[in-house]
Amino acid sequence: MSVRALGVCYYPEHWPEELWAEDARRMAETGISFVRIGEFAWSRLEPKRGATEFDWLARAIDVLHGAGLKVVLGTPTATPPKWLVDEMPDMLPVGQDGRVRGFGSRRHYDFSHEGYRAECARITEALARRFGAHPGVVAWQTDNEYACHLTALSYSEAALSGFRDWLGRKYQSPDALNRAWGTVFWSMEYQSFEEIELPNVALTEPAPAHVLDFRRYSSQAIVTFNRLQADIIRRFSPGRDVIHNFMGRTLSFDHFDVGADLDVSSWDSYPLGFLDQWSPRSPEFKAEFARAGDPDLQALHHDLYRATSNGRWWIMEQQPGPVNWAPHNPAPRDGMVRLWTWEAFAHGAEVVSYFRWRQAPFAQEQMHAGLLRPDSEPAPGLLEAAAVAGEIAGQDLPMPGRADVAIVFDYPSAWAWTAQPQGREFDYFRLVYDLYKALRRLGLSVDFLDAKSADPSPYRLVLVPGLFAWPEALREALGRLDGLALVGPRSGSRTADFAIPAALPPELPAPLDALKVTRVETLPPNLDVPMEGGAGAFQVWREMLETGDASVRLRADDGEPALVGTGPLLYLGGWPDETLAFDLLKGLAEEVGLPVLDLPPGLRLRRAGGLSYVFNYGSRTLRLSEHGLAGNFRLGADELPPSGVAILEGEA
Ligand code: GAL
């Protein structure tokens, strides 16, 4: 039977020891089985260099384990203590403005700093030696939320020296680097790697290839930082899962590369904060879903992170009530904590863990809800967690199999288009999200594929939006696809060195090898390019296509080709608005025989493992049978109230 369980984040160091046993008992009574602890506790674990105090943590683990809970132990490296920072102040990260980002909150370290890495290895090893074989410790979390508070990039001396070494290894000679970066432009040529600076010091825009290499270097620094801890944990705590908790909408390092060193990927899901802070939806939409969250944004992350560690994934932190960090922090509508938990299970989460057990009455996050109020009384989230615990008990919820549609995803593309957006609105994540949400409206399920290693061959429909440079294997595989591949806009428009390909983009294989993008333009808001026949428009980005003998499937109303190709390869020469994205993907899904629906904005479906999970994010009761969803109900019924969850037998 597949593992489906609940967890919670707990900070024994925040509470009197007399409370621990009672807390543990109540967690277990709620139906919680995993508890994450320790990830910020360095100053309590080692108040002075070498003076480790692990006994309190041992007692906490014993108490939790004694109550039947499984412990996920965090390494405390996101919060180096003051004495350590004072010992080596050059471990602090430096912002793009050149200013040191100092002590007094968290994440005040530089991924490139060798001295800090050695300290992380030391504390990780000490913890893993002491607790690695404890029967209560079932998993480890490395650090906490890499890149949170914009820490993926640091412009420090340590980063500069690491970057120069990395460039030396990559290019071998300054000449090769000069050619790759195009430094003849503006007399930027280098005679030695020691002359190279970080891209933040340039007077105006640095060479985009310089920026992209710095992004690649910085991402790799996070990968090796994480690997250092993962290797130590595996050595001293064999058989335990190594996990990291990723964040939403964070593209500043390659999560596939970090995920390759994890047993389980996890992410921290705060739907209401995300809607307010990031969702590109209209103010009306945001008002409608202010207490529910964007119905597609969590699902996108569930699917994306599932792909980063071979399918095993968790929610490490689930919003339980109002948070403290968004522009506005409303309370979830009754039932939403339960719905979010179920949506994660529908997408294959093994564990959903709430952040946090009890609201802290002190310090930065005192306004952040927990499952308990600061006075230890239940907060509304606790009752919903208990409800889910009751519902999952004894249920067999098979893991999702292969999804209907694949989207090829690529972190370097996000870096490339940040370095050279060409139009303010061109945002890689948003392009992916726009296509994803059209697929959700159609009721289709999605797998993400890492561009570097993607095998698109099992899928009937594959989308490749905004991929800046082709990995050769992917390019070839698309040409041999049995299904349909929708490529573009902007895909294959650069070489890996950030130059326009000699024969012009998109460099597709046969039968679309004659296709050329001859000109691009970015479109300010209100300068959309309508399609012939009036169904939707291009927005943000538009390309002029020389089509060779490829057939034109759709034209803009000025007569220019918008969608060209004959299966298996199709190329889309612009960023589709909501109507166009929906119509286009509906047509393609039908062409390859996928079952499509047209779900209203608040109603969402995930077919998985022979079940159909249905969610009502909206504020009105819906009848599922009116939306093409009928069958035997395992949970819920045809009438689905606001925040309601239903599970139908079979893939409806
Ligand atoms: C996460 C973080 C937690 C806590 C939480 C508040 O980003 O991992 O430690 O700060 O946000 O929502």
Side-chain angles (χ1 to χ4, degrees), residues 18-39:
E18 305 80 75
L19 254 186
W20 296 352
E22 169 74 357
D23 281 340
R25 187 189 59 73
R26 291 177 75 190
M27 288 173 197
E29 187 182 280
T30 306
I32 285 169
S33 35
F34 287 80
V35 55
R36 182 197 65 177
I37 61 172
E39 82 277 13

Side-chain angles (χ1 to χ4, degrees), residues 40 106 144-145 245 268 270 317 324-325 355 365 368:
F40 297 131
R106 62 178 171 182
N144 189 77
E145 289 192 341
N245 56 334
D268 298 343
Y270 293 92
E317 300 180 12
N324 63 310
W325 47 261
F355 182 89
E365 294 180 350
H368 195 297

Side-chain angles (χ1 to χ4, degrees), residues 280 429-439 539 575-576 581 585:
F429 186 87
R430 165 117 197 248
L431 177 62
V432 171
Y433 164 84
D434 279 359
L435 298 173
Y436 184 90
K437 78 180 180 351
L439 294 170
Q539 56 183 7
W575 182 318
L585 292 174

Side-chain angles (χ1 to χ4, degrees), residues 32-366:
I32 285 169
S33 35
F34 287 80
V35 55
R36 182 197 65 177
I37 61 172
E39 82 277 13
F40 297 131
W42 199 334
S43 70
R44 286 293 170 98
L45 293 168
E46 191 180 19
K48 288 191 216 134
R49 167 167 297 284
T52 47
E53 291 183 8
F54 289 1
D55 290 352
W56 68 267
L57 184 58
R59 292 195 299 278
I61 293 174
D62 286 342
V63 165
L64 296 165
H65 177 53
L69 297 160
K70 298 175 181 147
V71 174
V72 180
L73 188 54
T75 66
T77 54
T79 48
K82 184 70 167 71
W83 60 260
L84 179 51
V85 177
D86 287 346
E87 268 183 28
M88 45 184 189
D90 60 354
M91 63 167 275
L92 291 168
V94 175
Q96 192 166 10
D97 58 1
R99 289 180 54 185
V100 172
R101 305 182 71 192
F103 182 86
S105 59
R106 62 178 171 182
R107 299 214 55 76
H108 41 278
Y109 72 82
D110 192 301
F111 287 105
S112 298
H113 194 275
E114 292 299 337
Y116 186 57
R117 284 177 176 235
E119 290 300 310
C120 292
R122 186 179 60 78
I123 191 76
T124 300
E125 181 172 330
L127 285 164
R129 278 181 184 275
R130 174 75 187 263
F131 300 111
H134 194 293
V137 173
V138 301
W140 291 79
Q141 177 185 295
T142 52
D143 200 277
N144 189 77
E145 289 192 341
Y146 294 136
C148 184
H149 313 305
L150 304 176
T151 49
L153 302 181
S154 170
Y155 300 86
S156 62
E157 281 301 316
L160 175 60
S161 116
F163 184 46
R164 287 175 177 166
D165 289 350
W166 184 89
L167 291 171
R169 286 194 301 276
K170 175 168 178 179
Y171 292 106
Q172 303 289 318
S173 75
D175 275 358
L177 178 143
N178 284 322
R179 275 194 304 278
W181 288 9
T183 52
V184 62
F185 196 75
W186 289 352
S187 268
M188 299 178 295
E189 285 164 300
Y190 300 102
Q191 305 298 329
S192 100
F193 290 109
E194 294 311 301
E195 293 176 359
I196 292 163
E197 301 286 352
L198 295 178
N200 65 323
V201 301
L203 187 146
T204 182
E205 187 185 347
H210 182 173
V211 177
L212 185 60
D213 268 344
F214 182 58
R215 304 294 304 255
R216 288 173 171 137
Y217 161 75
S218 301
S219 179
Q220 198 51 31
I222 297 180
V223 172
T224 54
F225 182 93
N226 179 70
R227 186 177 299 152
L228 184 64
Q229 297 192 18
D231 287 349
I232 293 168
I233 292 165
R234 292 204 169 99
R235 206 160 123 222
F236 296 102
S237 189
R240 273 69 172 179
D241 286 326
V242 178
I243 311 179
H244 179 73
N245 56 334
F246 295 138
M247 296 197 303
R249 206 175 178 160
T250 298
L251 302 169
S252 51
F253 64 94
D254 192 323
H255 292 50
F256 292 111
D257 291 348
V258 170
D261 289 319
L262 302 173
D263 297 298
V264 177
S265 286
S266 73
W267 80 285
D268 298 343
S269 179
Y270 293 92
L272 304 191
F274 294 165
L275 178 82
D276 196 27
Q277 185 142 314
W278 298 328
S279 170
R281 301 284 202 155
S282 68
E284 297 70 37
F285 185 95
K286 287 190 177 191
E288 190 179 342
F289 290 97
R291 296 188 187 283
D294 183 318
D296 301 321
L297 204 53
Q298 286 73 246
L300 186 162
H301 288 91
H302 299 339
D303 289 333
L304 178 59
Y305 294 140
R306 188 177 62 250
T308 58
S309 55
N310 286 326
R312 290 195 60 201
W313 74 279
W314 295 16
I315 295 283
M316 192 62 87
E317 300 180 12
Q318 171 63 62
Q319 174 168 3
V323 300
N324 63 310
W325 47 261
H328 315 92
N329 298 295
R333 193 203 298 130
D334 284 351
M336 285 312 299
V337 172
R338 170 177 173 259
L339 182 152
W340 295 328
T341 309
W342 268 112
E343 172 107 61
F345 286 143
H347 290 255
E350 293 178 7
V351 175
V352 176
S353 164
Y354 301 95
F355 182 89
R356 50 186 278 155
W357 175 243
R358 184 187 293 100
Q359 182 173 349
F362 51 83
Q364 283 93 327
E365 294 180 350
Q366 52 187 274

